[in-house]
Structure formats: structure tokens, C-alpha cells
Amino acid sequence: MEAAQSDIQEVKHLKKKQLVQYNLVMLLLFVLFGYFAEDIKPSLLIGACCVLVWVIVAIMVYNLKTGRPIGTKASRRVQEFDRNRLGEKRWKRRKIMEIVFIGVISVIITILFIVKDISTTRLDFPIDTFPFIGAWIGYNIGETIRISNL
């Protein structure tokens, strides 16, 4: 029992560390978005987001197919813990749902990028960041709740 509790404490610590890393990456993306929204074409920015989402899908598919997580030592340990805690069947089902959800979003973004004329689109930096900030806050709230529920 004590070993399991120690594992949970370690995973909580690692998840908090991951949350800090995630927030630093999101802050960097936010600053880059603000810079690029003012200085370059929106089509390049949206195209880069499209490529980024497809890379995320590819990593998720690789993780599902091989069972080997990709990332830092902390993220690999957390993913292995989640896999053991959920069980193979539930873990696989959850990963498939994540891949389908992110995959559908990727397809929609790609279709919009190809079909819609984005070259005439303008990005108003402060206003266009609200969805980004909302997702960022929502992710932080969700992760904090998941960490406290461990």
C-alpha cells in the first residue's frame, strides 16, 4: 500500500512538473502568435498550426500502435502510470477516442486551410487570442482537478 501511495505522490509531482512545462510552451506559443499575427501572413500561421496538429496526431498514433510513449522522462512515466492504472483495454479505448477527436479537428483545419481563401484574412491580435486563452485556462483547470483526484 505504501509503495502505491509513493507512486501516486511521484506521479502527482511529475504531473505538476508537466503542467509547468505545458504552461511555458503555451506562453511561448502565445508570444509567437502575437508576433506572427502582426508581422506575417495569417495563412502561414494557420498552415503552421495545421502541421503542428498533424504531428500531434502522428505521435498519438505511434503511441497507440507501439505502446511506447514519446516525450520527456516525466511524460513517459506519467503515461505508463496512466496505462497501468486504467488497464490496457480502457487505455486503448481512451487513446482511440483522443486520436479520433484530434484527427477530426486536423481534417477540418486542413480542409479549411485548402478550401478557404485565407490570404485576405486579418488577425486582430488581442481579440483573436480569446479562444486560445480559453483553451489554455480550461486545460489548466482540468489538469489541476485530475491531479487532485489521484
Side-chain angles (χ1 to χ4, degrees):
M1 182 70 181
E2 224 174 274
Q5 190 62 26
S6 132
D7 276 352
I8 290 174
Q9 291 304 319
E10 177 191 1
V11 169
K12 277 186 176 185
H13 172 72
L14 293 174
K15 282 189 176 234
K16 289 175 186 174
K17 184 178 173 181
Q18 272 187 312
L19 189 59
V20 169
Q21 291 171 349
Y22 170 82
N23 279 305
L24 290 173
V25 168
M26 291 302 284
L27 184 61
L28 176 68
L29 287 174
F30 183 75
V31 169
L32 287 174
F33 177 78
Y35 174 74
F36 288 135
E38 297 295 325
D39 292 339
I40 65 168
K41 295 179 183 176
S43 59
L44 185 60
L45 184 63
I46 294 169
C49 289
C50 184
V51 169
L52 179 66
V53 173
W54 278 110
V55 167
I56 291 169
V57 169
I59 290 171
M60 293 171 78
V61 169
Y62 174 81
N63 186 5
L64 178 68
K65 290 292 184 189
T66 64
R68 291 182 292 191
I70 294 177
T72 63
K73 242 191 244 186
S75 70
R76 288 193 308 260
R77 172 73 175 106
V78 168
Q79 289 178 47
E80 289 168 3
F81 175 82
D82 287 341
R83 187 175 187 172
N84 291 336
R85 186 165 181 245
L86 290 173
E88 188 69 27
K89 191 175 180 181
R90 278 182 62 199
W91 176 83
K92 203 167 223 172
R93 202 173 330 132
R94 183 174 285 180
K95 285 296 172 189
I96 290 170
M97 287 186 336
E98 289 174 3
I99 291 169
V100 167
F101 182 72
I102 301 293
V104 167
I105 290 172
S106 301
V107 168
I108 291 170
I109 290 173
T110 303
I111 290 171
L112 288 174
F113 181 69
I114 292 170
V115 173
K116 191 158 172 58
D117 182 25
I118 299 175
S119 61
T120 60
T121 304
R122 281 203 61 229
L123 293 175
D124 296 325
F125 173 62
I127 294 171
D128 289 341
T129 59
F130 287 133
F132 182 84
I133 293 170
W136 189 357
I137 291 170
Y139 178 81
N140 276 292
I141 291 169
E143 275 303 305
T144 304
I145 290 170
R146 281 189 280 285
I147 289 170
S148 67
N149 286 341
L150 278 180

mmCIF file of all heavy atoms in Angstrom, residues 110-147:
data_model
loop_
_atom_site.group_PDB
_atom_site.id
_atom_site.type_symbol
_atom_site.label_atom_id
_atom_site.label_comp_id
_atom_site.label_asym_id
_atom_site.label_seq_id
_atom_site.Cartn_x
_atom_site.Cartn_y
_atom_site.Cartn_z
ATOM 1 N N THR A 110 -7.378 21.317 -41.950
ATOM 2 C CA THR A 110 -6.719 21.140 -43.245
ATOM 3 C C THR A 110 -7.654 21.494 -44.393
ATOM 4 O O THR A 110 -7.258 22.192 -45.340
ATOM 5 C CB THR A 110 -6.223 19.691 -43.403
ATOM 6 O OG1 THR A 110 -5.355 19.382 -42.309
ATOM 7 C CG2 THR A 110 -5.481 19.496 -44.699
ATOM 8 N N ILE A 111 -8.897 21.031 -44.321
ATOM 9 C CA ILE A 111 -9.872 21.339 -45.381
ATOM 10 C C ILE A 111 -10.115 22.849 -45.453
ATOM 11 O O ILE A 111 -10.121 23.425 -46.545
ATOM 12 C CB ILE A 111 -11.191 20.568 -45.161
ATOM 13 C CG1 ILE A 111 -10.970 19.079 -45.431
ATOM 14 C CG2 ILE A 111 -12.296 21.121 -46.049
ATOM 15 C CD1 ILE A 111 -12.135 18.194 -45.046
ATOM 16 N N LEU A 112 -10.291 23.477 -44.301
ATOM 17 C CA LEU A 112 -10.496 24.927 -44.300
ATOM 18 C C LEU A 112 -9.281 25.656 -44.848
ATOM 19 O O LEU A 112 -9.406 26.650 -45.573
ATOM 20 C CB LEU A 112 -10.816 25.425 -42.895
ATOM 21 C CG LEU A 112 -12.194 25.069 -42.359
ATOM 22 C CD1 LEU A 112 -12.324 25.497 -40.902
ATOM 23 C CD2 LEU A 112 -13.275 25.700 -43.201
ATOM 24 N N PHE A 113 -8.106 25.167 -44.511
ATOM 25 C CA PHE A 113 -6.874 25.797 -44.989
ATOM 26 C C PHE A 113 -6.754 25.699 -46.504
ATOM 27 O O PHE A 113 -6.335 26.639 -47.165
ATOM 28 C CB PHE A 113 -5.663 25.141 -44.314
ATOM 29 C CG PHE A 113 -4.347 25.737 -44.712
ATOM 30 C CD1 PHE A 113 -4.004 27.019 -44.314
ATOM 31 C CD2 PHE A 113 -3.455 25.022 -45.486
ATOM 32 C CE1 PHE A 113 -2.793 27.570 -44.674
ATOM 33 C CE2 PHE A 113 -2.233 25.569 -45.853
ATOM 34 C CZ PHE A 113 -1.907 26.856 -45.449
ATOM 35 N N ILE A 114 -7.156 24.547 -47.058
ATOM 36 C CA ILE A 114 -7.040 24.335 -48.503
ATOM 37 C C ILE A 114 -8.158 25.045 -49.264
ATOM 38 O O ILE A 114 -7.911 25.692 -50.281
ATOM 39 C CB ILE A 114 -7.041 22.821 -48.822
ATOM 40 C CG1 ILE A 114 -5.762 22.182 -48.286
ATOM 41 C CG2 ILE A 114 -7.175 22.576 -50.314
ATOM 42 C CD1 ILE A 114 -5.760 20.665 -48.328
ATOM 43 N N VAL A 115 -9.386 24.952 -48.768
ATOM 44 C CA VAL A 115 -10.547 25.451 -49.497
ATOM 45 C C VAL A 115 -10.748 26.955 -49.325
ATOM 46 O O VAL A 115 -11.026 27.659 -50.294
ATOM 47 C CB VAL A 115 -11.819 24.687 -49.056
ATOM 48 C CG1 VAL A 115 -13.058 25.290 -49.666
ATOM 49 C CG2 VAL A 115 -11.691 23.226 -49.411
ATOM 50 N N LYS A 116 -10.617 27.445 -48.128
ATOM 51 C CA LYS A 116 -10.926 28.853 -47.844
ATOM 52 C C LYS A 116 -9.753 29.743 -48.246
ATOM 53 O O LYS A 116 -8.603 29.383 -48.080
ATOM 54 C CB LYS A 116 -11.200 29.011 -46.349
ATOM 55 C CG LYS A 116 -11.777 30.334 -45.991
ATOM 56 C CD LYS A 116 -12.499 30.227 -44.671
ATOM 57 C CE LYS A 116 -12.960 31.537 -44.132
ATOM 58 N NZ LYS A 116 -13.830 32.300 -44.953
ATOM 59 N N ASP A 117 -10.086 30.895 -48.770
ATOM 60 C CA ASP A 117 -9.058 31.865 -49.147
ATOM 61 C C ASP A 117 -8.618 32.611 -47.889
ATOM 62 O O ASP A 117 -9.285 33.549 -47.445
ATOM 63 C CB ASP A 117 -9.604 32.836 -50.187
ATOM 64 C CG ASP A 117 -8.556 33.827 -50.640
ATOM 65 O OD1 ASP A 117 -7.350 33.500 -50.550
ATOM 66 O OD2 ASP A 117 -8.934 34.916 -51.086
ATOM 67 N N ILE A 118 -7.510 32.178 -47.334
ATOM 68 C CA ILE A 118 -7.040 32.746 -46.072
ATOM 69 C C ILE A 118 -6.155 33.965 -46.305
ATOM 70 O O ILE A 118 -5.909 34.744 -45.402
ATOM 71 C CB ILE A 118 -6.289 31.673 -45.263
ATOM 72 C CG1 ILE A 118 -7.239 30.526 -44.954
ATOM 73 C CG2 ILE A 118 -5.739 32.218 -43.974
ATOM 74 C CD1 ILE A 118 -6.597 29.359 -44.275
ATOM 75 N N SER A 119 -5.693 34.152 -47.524
ATOM 76 C CA SER A 119 -4.760 35.255 -47.794
ATOM 77 C C SER A 119 -5.371 36.619 -47.488
ATOM 78 O O SER A 119 -4.655 37.574 -47.198
ATOM 79 C CB SER A 119 -4.275 35.200 -49.239
ATOM 80 O OG SER A 119 -5.359 35.328 -50.118
ATOM 81 N N THR A 120 -6.694 36.715 -47.524
ATOM 82 C CA THR A 120 -7.340 38.001 -47.243
ATOM 83 C C THR A 120 -7.749 38.133 -45.773
ATOM 84 O O THR A 120 -8.268 39.160 -45.368
ATOM 85 C CB THR A 120 -8.594 38.165 -48.118
ATOM 86 O OG1 THR A 120 -9.504 37.101 -47.835
ATOM 87 C CG2 THR A 120 -8.235 38.174 -49.588
ATOM 88 N N THR A 121 -7.513 37.096 -45.007
ATOM 89 C CA THR A 121 -7.894 37.096 -43.593
ATOM 90 C C THR A 121 -6.960 37.993 -42.798
ATOM 91 O O THR A 121 -5.759 37.998 -43.008
ATOM 92 C CB THR A 121 -7.833 35.667 -43.026
ATOM 93 O OG1 THR A 121 -8.650 34.830 -43.815
ATOM 94 C CG2 THR A 121 -8.286 35.622 -41.591
ATOM 95 N N ARG A 122 -7.537 38.733 -41.867
ATOM 96 C CA ARG A 122 -6.738 39.554 -40.952
ATOM 97 C C ARG A 122 -6.862 38.987 -39.564
ATOM 98 O O ARG A 122 -7.921 38.525 -39.162
ATOM 99 C CB ARG A 122 -7.269 40.994 -40.935
ATOM 100 C CG ARG A 122 -6.819 41.795 -42.121
ATOM 101 C CD ARG A 122 -6.856 43.286 -41.861
ATOM 102 N NE ARG A 122 -5.960 43.610 -40.759
ATOM 103 C CZ ARG A 122 -6.290 44.358 -39.714
ATOM 104 N NH1 ARG A 122 -7.463 44.859 -39.603
ATOM 105 N NH2 ARG A 122 -5.437 44.622 -38.758
ATOM 106 N N LEU A 123 -5.788 39.029 -38.832
ATOM 107 C CA LEU A 123 -5.805 38.599 -37.441
ATOM 108 C C LEU A 123 -5.682 39.831 -36.554
ATOM 109 O O LEU A 123 -4.737 40.597 -36.676
ATOM 110 C CB LEU A 123 -4.647 37.638 -37.157
ATOM 111 C CG LEU A 123 -4.704 36.287 -37.853
ATOM 112 C CD1 LEU A 123 -3.434 35.499 -37.569
ATOM 113 C CD2 LEU A 123 -5.915 35.499 -37.420
ATOM 114 N N ASP A 124 -6.664 40.031 -35.709
ATOM 115 C CA ASP A 124 -6.601 41.104 -34.727
ATOM 116 C C ASP A 124 -6.059 40.497 -33.447
ATOM 117 O O ASP A 124 -6.774 39.754 -32.763
ATOM 118 C CB ASP A 124 -7.985 41.708 -34.496
ATOM 119 C CG ASP A 124 -8.528 42.379 -35.748
ATOM 120 O OD1 ASP A 124 -7.702 42.945 -36.491
ATOM 121 O OD2 ASP A 124 -9.746 42.325 -35.975
ATOM 122 N N PHE A 125 -4.819 40.807 -33.154
ATOM 123 C CA PHE A 125 -4.109 40.088 -32.108
ATOM 124 C C PHE A 125 -4.837 39.995 -30.773
ATOM 125 O O PHE A 125 -5.065 38.905 -30.299
ATOM 126 C CB PHE A 125 -2.692 40.636 -31.911
ATOM 127 C CG PHE A 125 -1.994 40.021 -30.741
ATOM 128 C CD1 PHE A 125 -1.734 38.667 -30.712
ATOM 129 C CD2 PHE A 125 -1.631 40.785 -29.660
ATOM 130 C CE1 PHE A 125 -1.108 38.086 -29.635
ATOM 131 C CE2 PHE A 125 -1.001 40.207 -28.577
ATOM 132 C CZ PHE A 125 -0.741 38.854 -28.565
ATOM 133 N N PRO A 126 -5.240 41.059 -30.146
ATOM 134 C CA PRO A 126 -5.823 40.846 -28.818
ATOM 135 C C PRO A 126 -7.127 40.058 -28.854
ATOM 136 O O PRO A 126 -7.359 39.202 -28.025
ATOM 137 C CB PRO A 126 -6.049 42.253 -28.277
ATOM 138 C CG PRO A 126 -5.318 43.172 -29.170
ATOM 139 C CD PRO A 126 -5.118 42.474 -30.470
ATOM 140 N N ILE A 127 -7.980 40.317 -29.829
ATOM 141 C CA ILE A 127 -9.304 39.690 -29.860
ATOM 142 C C ILE A 127 -9.218 38.232 -30.302
ATOM 143 O O ILE A 127 -9.906 37.375 -29.750
ATOM 144 C CB ILE A 127 -10.243 40.498 -30.775
ATOM 145 C CG1 ILE A 127 -10.491 41.867 -30.150
ATOM 146 C CG2 ILE A 127 -11.557 39.770 -31.008
ATOM 147 C CD1 ILE A 127 -11.216 42.833 -31.031
ATOM 148 N N ASP A 128 -8.387 37.932 -31.262
ATOM 149 C CA ASP A 128 -8.281 36.564 -31.784
ATOM 150 C C ASP A 128 -7.604 35.596 -30.828
ATOM 151 O O ASP A 128 -7.532 34.401 -31.104
ATOM 152 C CB ASP A 128 -7.541 36.560 -33.131
ATOM 153 C CG ASP A 128 -8.380 37.163 -34.241
ATOM 154 O OD1 ASP A 128 -9.615 37.238 -34.068
ATOM 155 O OD2 ASP A 128 -7.807 37.551 -35.271
ATOM 156 N N THR A 129 -7.099 36.064 -29.727
ATOM 157 C CA THR A 129 -6.440 35.174 -28.771
ATOM 158 C C THR A 129 -7.395 34.631 -27.710
ATOM 159 O O THR A 129 -7.011 33.746 -26.954
ATOM 160 C CB THR A 129 -5.277 35.901 -28.066
ATOM 161 O OG1 THR A 129 -5.786 37.056 -27.399
ATOM 162 C CG2 THR A 129 -4.201 36.288 -29.056
ATOM 163 N N PHE A 130 -8.617 35.121 -27.650
ATOM 164 C CA PHE A 130 -9.552 34.654 -26.616
ATOM 165 C C PHE A 130 -9.800 33.140 -26.658
ATOM 166 O O PHE A 130 -9.801 32.502 -25.612
ATOM 167 C CB PHE A 130 -10.863 35.429 -26.651
ATOM 168 C CG PHE A 130 -10.732 36.834 -26.121
ATOM 169 C CD1 PHE A 130 -11.266 37.896 -26.823
ATOM 170 C CD2 PHE A 130 -10.072 37.094 -24.930
ATOM 171 C CE1 PHE A 130 -11.147 39.189 -26.345
ATOM 172 C CE2 PHE A 130 -9.942 38.387 -24.443
ATOM 173 C CZ PHE A 130 -10.479 39.445 -25.158
ATOM 174 N N PRO A 131 -10.008 32.525 -27.825
ATOM 175 C CA PRO A 131 -10.179 31.070 -27.828
ATOM 176 C C PRO A 131 -8.924 30.338 -27.336
ATOM 177 O O PRO A 131 -9.012 29.341 -26.620
ATOM 178 C CB PRO A 131 -10.455 30.725 -29.292
ATOM 179 C CG PRO A 131 -10.944 31.985 -29.898
ATOM 180 C CD PRO A 131 -10.278 33.090 -29.143
ATOM 181 N N PHE A 132 -7.771 30.849 -27.700
ATOM 182 C CA PHE A 132 -6.503 30.266 -27.257
ATOM 183 C C PHE A 132 -6.382 30.344 -25.734
ATOM 184 O O PHE A 132 -6.058 29.361 -25.073
ATOM 185 C CB PHE A 132 -5.347 31.027 -27.933
ATOM 186 C CG PHE A 132 -3.983 30.502 -27.619
ATOM 187 C CD1 PHE A 132 -3.458 29.444 -28.329
ATOM 188 C CD2 PHE A 132 -3.217 31.080 -26.618
ATOM 189 C CE1 PHE A 132 -2.192 28.954 -28.048
ATOM 190 C CE2 PHE A 132 -1.963 30.607 -26.326
ATOM 191 C CZ PHE A 132 -1.441 29.541 -27.044
ATOM 192 N N ILE A 133 -6.667 31.514 -25.197
ATOM 193 C CA ILE A 133 -6.582 31.706 -23.747
ATOM 194 C C ILE A 133 -7.625 30.851 -23.030
ATOM 195 O O ILE A 133 -7.350 30.259 -21.982
ATOM 196 C CB ILE A 133 -6.737 33.198 -23.390
ATOM 197 C CG1 ILE A 133 -5.531 33.983 -23.925
ATOM 198 C CG2 ILE A 133 -6.885 33.404 -21.894
ATOM 199 C CD1 ILE A 133 -5.681 35.491 -23.851
ATOM 200 N N GLY A 134 -8.829 30.746 -23.604
ATOM 201 C CA GLY A 134 -9.877 29.919 -23.006
ATOM 202 C C GLY A 134 -9.475 28.447 -22.948
ATOM 203 O O GLY A 134 -9.673 27.768 -21.934
ATOM 204 N N ALA A 135 -8.896 27.952 -24.038
ATOM 205 C CA ALA A 135 -8.430 26.558 -24.049
ATOM 206 C C ALA A 135 -7.302 26.357 -23.051
ATOM 207 O O ALA A 135 -7.239 25.337 -22.347
ATOM 208 C CB ALA A 135 -7.974 26.181 -25.453
ATOM 209 N N TRP A 136 -6.439 27.319 -22.948
ATOM 210 C CA TRP A 136 -5.311 27.257 -22.019
ATOM 211 C C TRP A 136 -5.819 27.195 -20.575
ATOM 212 O O TRP A 136 -5.394 26.346 -19.789
ATOM 213 C CB TRP A 136 -4.454 28.487 -22.245
ATOM 214 C CG TRP A 136 -3.126 28.544 -21.564
ATOM 215 C CD1 TRP A 136 -2.583 27.641 -20.701
ATOM 216 C CD2 TRP A 136 -2.151 29.581 -21.698
ATOM 217 N NE1 TRP A 136 -1.348 28.051 -20.308
ATOM 218 C CE2 TRP A 136 -1.056 29.237 -20.906
ATOM 219 C CE3 TRP A 136 -2.114 30.760 -22.415
ATOM 220 C CZ2 TRP A 136 0.079 30.037 -20.806
ATOM 221 C CZ3 TRP A 136 -0.982 31.545 -22.317
ATOM 222 C CH2 TRP A 136 0.099 31.188 -21.528
ATOM 223 N N ILE A 137 -6.740 28.058 -20.235
ATOM 224 C CA ILE A 137 -7.310 28.077 -18.882
ATOM 225 C C ILE A 137 -8.074 26.786 -18.611
ATOM 226 O O ILE A 137 -7.947 26.187 -17.538
ATOM 227 C CB ILE A 137 -8.214 29.315 -18.690
ATOM 228 C CG1 ILE A 137 -7.355 30.580 -18.671
ATOM 229 C CG2 ILE A 137 -9.048 29.197 -17.412
ATOM 230 C CD1 ILE A 137 -8.148 31.870 -18.732
ATOM 231 N N GLY A 138 -8.866 26.347 -19.599
ATOM 232 C CA GLY A 138 -9.620 25.099 -19.431
ATOM 233 C C GLY A 138 -8.713 23.907 -19.203
ATOM 234 O O GLY A 138 -8.991 23.042 -18.353
ATOM 235 N N TYR A 139 -7.615 23.829 -19.951
ATOM 236 C CA TYR A 139 -6.660 22.728 -19.772
ATOM 237 C C TYR A 139 -6.063 22.764 -18.371
ATOM 238 O O TYR A 139 -5.951 21.732 -17.709
ATOM 239 C CB TYR A 139 -5.545 22.800 -20.818
ATOM 240 C CG TYR A 139 -4.529 21.710 -20.638
ATOM 241 C CD1 TYR A 139 -4.765 20.433 -21.124
ATOM 242 C CD2 TYR A 139 -3.343 21.943 -19.961
ATOM 243 C CE1 TYR A 139 -3.838 19.417 -20.942
ATOM 244 C CE2 TYR A 139 -2.415 20.946 -19.774
ATOM 245 C CZ TYR A 139 -2.665 19.678 -20.273
ATOM 246 O OH TYR A 139 -1.742 18.684 -20.074
ATOM 247 N N ASN A 140 -5.688 23.946 -17.905
ATOM 248 C CA ASN A 140 -5.102 24.074 -16.567
ATOM 249 C C ASN A 140 -6.082 23.650 -15.481
ATOM 250 O O ASN A 140 -5.705 22.956 -14.537
ATOM 251 C CB ASN A 140 -4.629 25.508 -16.318
ATOM 252 C CG ASN A 140 -3.265 25.752 -16.876
ATOM 253 O OD1 ASN A 140 -2.281 25.203 -16.403
ATOM 254 N ND2 ASN A 140 -3.188 26.568 -17.912
ATOM 255 N N ILE A 141 -7.333 24.053 -15.622
ATOM 256 C CA ILE A 141 -8.345 23.669 -14.630
ATOM 257 C C ILE A 141 -8.535 22.153 -14.645
ATOM 258 O O ILE A 141 -8.563 21.514 -13.588
ATOM 259 C CB ILE A 141 -9.678 24.408 -14.901
ATOM 260 C CG1 ILE A 141 -9.522 25.899 -14.601
ATOM 261 C CG2 ILE A 141 -10.814 23.806 -14.074
ATOM 262 C CD1 ILE A 141 -10.683 26.754 -15.068
ATOM 263 N N GLY A 142 -8.658 21.574 -15.842
ATOM 264 C CA GLY A 142 -8.841 20.126 -15.953
ATOM 265 C C GLY A 142 -7.678 19.341 -15.381
ATOM 266 O O GLY A 142 -7.873 18.356 -14.654
ATOM 267 N N GLU A 143 -6.464 19.757 -15.684
ATOM 268 C CA GLU A 143 -5.284 19.054 -15.167
ATOM 269 C C GLU A 143 -5.183 19.181 -13.662
ATOM 270 O O GLU A 143 -4.828 18.221 -12.975
ATOM 271 C CB GLU A 143 -4.001 19.577 -15.824
ATOM 272 C CG GLU A 143 -3.688 18.934 -17.136
ATOM 273 C CD GLU A 143 -3.555 17.427 -17.067
ATOM 274 O OE1 GLU A 143 -2.752 16.905 -16.263
ATOM 275 O OE2 GLU A 143 -4.258 16.765 -17.838
ATOM 276 N N THR A 144 -5.485 20.354 -13.133
ATOM 277 C CA THR A 144 -5.444 20.552 -11.683
ATOM 278 C C THR A 144 -6.455 19.640 -11.003
ATOM 279 O O THR A 144 -6.136 19.024 -9.966
ATOM 280 C CB THR A 144 -5.734 22.031 -11.337
ATOM 281 O OG1 THR A 144 -4.789 22.860 -12.031
ATOM 282 C CG2 THR A 144 -5.628 22.291 -9.853
ATOM 283 N N ILE A 145 -7.637 19.502 -11.561
ATOM 284 C CA ILE A 145 -8.648 18.613 -10.987
ATOM 285 C C ILE A 145 -8.187 17.165 -11.069
ATOM 286 O O ILE A 145 -8.312 16.404 -10.097
ATOM 287 C CB ILE A 145 -10.006 18.813 -11.690
ATOM 288 C CG1 ILE A 145 -10.586 20.180 -11.326
ATOM 289 C CG2 ILE A 145 -10.990 17.691 -11.348
ATOM 290 C CD1 ILE A 145 -11.795 20.584 -12.145
ATOM 291 N N ARG A 146 -7.617 16.756 -12.226
ATOM 292 C CA ARG A 146 -7.141 15.380 -12.377
ATOM 293 C C ARG A 146 -5.993 15.077 -11.407
ATOM 294 O O ARG A 146 -5.922 13.973 -10.866
ATOM 295 C CB ARG A 146 -6.711 15.115 -13.813
ATOM 296 C CG ARG A 146 -7.892 14.859 -14.738
ATOM 297 C CD ARG A 146 -7.459 14.383 -16.113
ATOM 298 N NE ARG A 146 -7.006 15.454 -16.991
ATOM 299 C CZ ARG A 146 -7.803 16.324 -17.599
ATOM 300 N NH1 ARG A 146 -9.099 16.257 -17.428
ATOM 301 N NH2 ARG A 146 -7.315 17.246 -18.393
ATOM 302 N N ILE A 147 -5.124 16.040 -11.180
ATOM 303 C CA ILE A 147 -4.018 15.836 -10.227
ATOM 304 C C ILE A 147 -4.566 15.668 -8.828
ATOM 305 O O ILE A 147 -4.135 14.785 -8.089
ATOM 306 C CB ILE A 147 -3.011 17.009 -10.299
ATOM 307 C CG1 ILE A 147 -2.237 16.954 -11.615
ATOM 308 C CG2 ILE A 147 -2.060 16.964 -9.128
ATOM 309 C CD1 ILE A 147 -1.389 18.199 -11.890
#
